[in-house]
Amino acid sequence: MNVQSMTKAIKHKHQLKRGIEMPTINNNYYTETEAAKELGVKVKTLRAWAALKKGPPRAVVGRNPFYRINNLVNWVGKQEKVFTKTDERGV
């Protein structure tokens, strides 16, 4: 799945959830819980990444972190690695 199709899928999924579970501040941001769910990690993991200054970029309002949907998609895209046969064996 490329970044564009992932963006569309996440936005579509976000629109389906909007107003049903945990609402976001608007259509462009996820709460910490929503971001963790989308990435398939625990909230604790997102917090650890933030403390280590790694992981997806976030904005903190008060004590509440928010993740821009497009930034999550871009961050996931940057995590992709292409392996060659020599990379897989470490040779």
Side-chain angles (χ1 to χ4, degrees), residues 1 18 20 22 27 36 43 46 48 55 57 67 69 71-72 75 77:
M1 180 179 279
R18 190 161 185 253
I20 297 172
M22 292 173 272
N27 291 335
V43 170
L46 281 179
Y67 295 83
I69 295 170
N71 287 347
L72 283 179
W75 181 80

Side-chain angles (χ1 to χ4, degrees), residues 67-81:
Y67 295 83
R68 189 185 309 245
I69 295 170
N70 290 337
N71 287 347
L72 283 179
V73 173
N74 292 335
W75 181 80
V76 168
K78 290 177 184 176
Q79 305 312 303
E80 293 178 4
K81 295 181 181 175

Side-chain angles (χ1 to χ4, degrees), residues 10 35 46-47 57 66-67:
I10 289 175
L46 281 179
R47 290 177 182 166
F66 294 95
Y67 295 83

Side-chain angles (χ1 to χ4, degrees), residues 54-65:
K54 64 183 240 181
R58 67 187 192 154
V60 179
V61 179
R63 293 185 179 183
N64 303 307

Side-chain angles (χ1 to χ4, degrees), residues 8-40:
K8 286 180 184 177
I10 289 175
K11 282 185 178 179
H12 177 71
K13 188 173 181 181
H14 173 70
Q15 288 169 351
L16 293 176
K17 291 191 310 184
R18 190 161 185 253
I20 297 172
E21 292 179 0
M22 292 173 272
T24 59
I25 57 173
N26 65 34
N27 291 335
N28 296 317
Y29 290 88
Y30 279 143
T31 62
E32 187 175 50
T33 304
E34 291 171 321
K37 188 174 181 180
E38 286 297 323
L39 293 172

